[in-house]
Amino acid sequence: SLLEHTRAVLARLRDVAALRPNLPQRVGFPRLWAVLARGAVVHDLGKAARGFQAVLRGRKRRWPYRHEVLSLAFVPWLSEGLTADEITLLAAAVVTHHKDWAEIEDDYLAAFDPEDDPLIDMVADLSPQDAAGLHRDLQAALPRWWSEMDWPSLGVAQPALLPWPQAQAALRPETIRQQLRRVAAWVKGWEERLYDAPDPLAEAAALRPGVLLRGYLVQSDHMGSAGVAALPGPPPQSAKAVSEAAGLPAERLYPHQRLAAAQEGHALLVAPTGSGKTEAALLWAARQRPARLFYTLPYQASMNAMYDRLARLFGRERVGLLHGRSTLALYRRLMEQAYTPQAAAAAARTLRNKAGLAYYPVRVFSPYQMLKAAFQLKGYEAMLADFAQAAFVFDEIHAYEPRRLAMMLETVAYLARHYDARFLLMSATFPRPIRERLQHLLGVDAPIRADAATYRRFRRHRLALLEGDLASPETLTHIRRELEAGRQTLVVANTVRKAQALWQELAPWAAAQGIPAYLLHSRFTGEDRLRKEQAILQAAGLGQTARQPVLVVATQVVEVSLNLDLDVLFSDPAPLEALLQRFGRINRLGQRPPAEVFVLREVDEGTRRVYHPGEQVERTLAVLEAETGLPVDEARLQDWLDAVYTDEVLSAWEAAYEAEAAEFRATFLAGLLPFQGNPDLADQFHRLFDGVEVLPEALWERWQALHAERPLEADALLVPIRWYQHEQLAARDLLTSADGDLPPIARVPYNPTLGLDLTFR
C-alpha cells in the first residue's frame, strides 16, 4: 500500500542517516535529516489520485500526469517550522525524485489556458474522501514511525501534521504552482549565479544541501521500492575486526601496515607488490570509521578478484561489485553454486542492483563509476550522497594516462573538500608528478613507505636489456631455451597484433615439446578470456605445488589483472610503471632467487602508437641501462621514476594533465547544479569510458540461441574494442549497426585461440 511504501522509504532513510549522524553539521545544513524525513513522508502522496490508482489496479492503461507533481500539494502538510529556503529545497527534492527539473518545468509550469491546465485536472482527480483518509492515516502513523525508528536519537523531532481544515485547503492547483515557481526561481537564480561567478567551483558548498536532499530521497525511494531490508551497518570500524577477518595478528604486521592503521585522514602508501597493501588499506579504512568503503581498481579482472577476496573476509552479504560487466561476473559465481541459469540471472541482477542502490558497506568498483557523478548522469546526486563520509582506496593509481588521471584526481579533491570523503591512494611506485599533485590536492605531507627491511625481503628480479626486437629470431630462440630449461615464461607485447604473431610463432613449437601455451589479450570474448585466465592461473598462479614449464604470451592486460608467479619475463620496451607491473608477475613473493626479467631495446611502431609520445619509453630505457645485469632494488624504484619524469617527459605529462584538469573543473565540477542531469555530458562519458562491444559475425547464431534463454551468457560472446577501432570498422563497412537488443556485428575473423582479427586484410 501507499502507506507501507512510505514507511519503507522513511525506514531506509533512517538507515542512511544513522550511518552519517554528524553529516548535517559537517556540510552546514543542520536540519538535513529533518527536511528529508518530511520529504520521505510526502514524496509519493500524489499517487492517491484516482487515475493513478486505476492504473495500478489495471483499470486504465496510463495516467497522463506525474504523481510527484501532485505530491507538491501535500508539502504544506508537514512544512511547519521550516524556513522558506528549506521548503523550496524540500519541494525540489520531492518533484524531481523521478524526473529532472527541466522535464517537470516544461510540462507543468507553462502558461496554460484554464481548460488545458494539467494542475487543475490533477487536483480534481484527488477525491476529498481519499485525501481525508490519508490525513487520518498519517496522523496515526507518524507517532508510531518516529518512535519505532527512533528518529529523535538523530535530533529529528516528529513533524507536526497540519490540521485537516488547513490541510484540505492546501490541496489546490495554486499550491502546486507556487511550489513549482519557487523551485524554478531557485534553479534559475543559481544558473545565473554560476554563470557570473569568477570561480563557480567555490559555490559547491552552497549547493550541497540540494544535492544531498535529492540524492538521499532517490536512494531511499529506490531501496524502499526494491523491498530492501534494513541496511547493513558500516564497514569494519577497528583494526581488530580487520586483523581477525584477515587472520593477520598484530605481531605479523609490516611497519607500513601499522602506520596505515594509525593514519587519520588522507594518505598515500608506497610498498612492494605482495607486501600486504590490501590489508594495509583495510586497516587504514577501519581507522577512518567511514559510512561506506569503496575499493577502486582499474581493470574488471582485478575488480572481480578483489570482490572475491573481500567477500571471503567480510561475507558476500556485505560486499558489492559494480562495473560494466559485474552482472555477468556475479552470474558466473552463482552458477558455481548449483543455481539454475534463470535463478542465477535473476539473483545476479538483484545483487548488481543492490550494489548500485548504496546497500553494501563495502563495494569494489572502477574510478569511472565515481566519475559518473561529475559527468552529471541522471540521478548523479544519489552517487554524490552515497560518497559523503565514505572512505576510498585507490589501488594501482599509476595505471591511468594523464588526462583520465586528471579527471579522477580532481574528483577526488572535490569529494574530499565538499563531501567529507577520505582517500588512500597506493601503488608500488608513484611517479613524482602524480605524487606531488596528490600531496597538494589532499594536503598529505609525505607517503607512508615500506621500510628498508621490507624492501630487502622483496629483491625478486634481475634486470637485463637485450638488443633487438621481441619478435626477432634471436629473441625467439632465447625464449625457447628458457622453456626447454623448464621455466615458466611470460612474453608481453605492447599490441594485440604483435602478441598474436608471437603466439603463432611459439605455440606450435611449445606444443611439440608438450609445453602448454596461452595467449591473453583484450580482444577475446568474455567467455574465452575467462576460460584462458582460469587456465593460466591454474598453470602459473600463486601457490603452485609443482612448477612445470608453461608459455604465456600477453599484452598489457596481464599487468594488474592476474595474480601470476612465473619464472622469467621477456617484454617489449614500455614506460617504467608498466614494466614494473610486468616484473611483478615474476617471482611474485620473492620466495625464489632473483628471476630474470628481459626488456628488449628496440622501440617499434606499435610501441610508439600505444605509448605516444615515445620519449617516456626512450627515457625508461636510458634509466634502465645502468641497471642491466643487476638485481632490482625496489627501494630505488622511486629514484628510477624520478629520473624518467624530467625534461620533455615531465613537460609533456604536466601539460596534458593540467589542461585536462582545468577543463574538467570548469566544464564538469563547476556545473554540478542539483535537480537535473546533463544528457550531453552523459554521451561524452559513454564514449570516453564505456568503450564499445561487438559481436563477431562467426558467433551470431550462437548469440541468438543463447539470448533467447540465457541473455547474460549471450553477453559473454561480445568483444570489447576501442571507439577508434569501432569507427575504423564502420568506415570499411565491416560493422552492422546495433538494432534493439542486437549488438553491433563485426564482420572480421574471430576464433577462440587468436581472438578478434582487426588487421583489415
Side-chain angles (χ1 to χ4, degrees), residues 188-226:
K188 184 179 180 182
W190 269 105
E191 286 175 340
E192 293 174 351
R193 181 169 168 180
L194 290 175
Y195 182 81
D196 293 333
D199 180 13
L201 196 52
E203 308 290 348
L207 289 168
R208 266 186 320 222
V211 170
L212 295 175
L213 283 168
R214 189 190 194 197
Y216 288 130
L217 185 57
V218 167
Q219 275 187 24
S220 304
D221 185 39
H222 287 179
M223 287 189 283
S225 297

Side-chain angles (χ1 to χ4, degrees), residues 46-159:
K47 289 180 177 178
R50 285 171 291 198
F52 192 95
Q53 291 293 313
V55 172
L56 292 181
R57 287 165 170 75
R59 296 197 300 266
K60 289 179 66 173
R61 290 189 61 187
R62 63 182 296 270
W63 189 57
Y65 308 112
R66 297 300 313 177
H67 71 271
E68 59 268 38
V69 176
L70 182 54
S71 294
L72 291 179
F74 295 89
V75 167
W77 284 23
L78 292 177
S79 292
E80 183 179 327
L82 298 183
T83 67
D85 286 343
E86 288 171 338
I87 294 172
T88 298
L89 289 174
L90 168 60
V94 167
V95 82
T96 64
H97 76 268
H98 287 301
K99 297 285 186 179
D100 283 344
W101 167 248
E103 296 180 67
I104 299 295
E105 184 178 34
D106 287 346
D107 291 341
Y108 292 96
L109 203 54
F112 296 103
D113 293 329
E115 62 270 18
D116 297 323
D117 190 341
L119 303 183
I120 294 175
D121 292 341
M122 288 170 66
V123 173
D125 208 22
L126 185 67
S127 79
Q129 294 81 8
D130 288 340
L134 270 180
H135 192 272
R136 286 194 303 272
D137 289 344
L138 287 176
Q139 203 161 30
L142 286 174
R144 184 172 69 251
W145 290 345
W146 247 253
S147 173
E148 67 185 24
M149 296 180 199
D150 195 18
W151 275 104
S153 68
L154 289 174
V156 179
Q158 178 191 325

Side-chain angles (χ1 to χ4, degrees), residues 568-610:
V568 61
L569 168 72
F570 292 84
S571 174
D572 263 337
L576 182 56
E577 304 96 293
L579 288 179
L580 295 175
Q581 289 301 312
R582 297 175 193 184
F583 294 178
R585 309 306 114 185
I586 308 299
N587 195 14
R588 188 162 180 79
L589 298 182
Q591 294 174 341
R592 303 185 296 279
E596 301 286 353
V597 289
F598 297 106
V599 178
L600 278 297
R601 286 188 171 96
E602 186 171 319
V603 182
D604 61 19
E605 286 305 313
T607 296
R608 290 191 177 90
R609 186 171 64 252
V610 172

Side-chain angles (χ1 to χ4, degrees), residues 344-364:
R349 291 190 180 98
T350 298
L351 293 174
R352 197 274 179 203
N353 289 340
K354 286 171 79 172
L357 283 175
Y359 175 82
Y360 293 105
V362 180
R363 266 165 287 172
V364 180

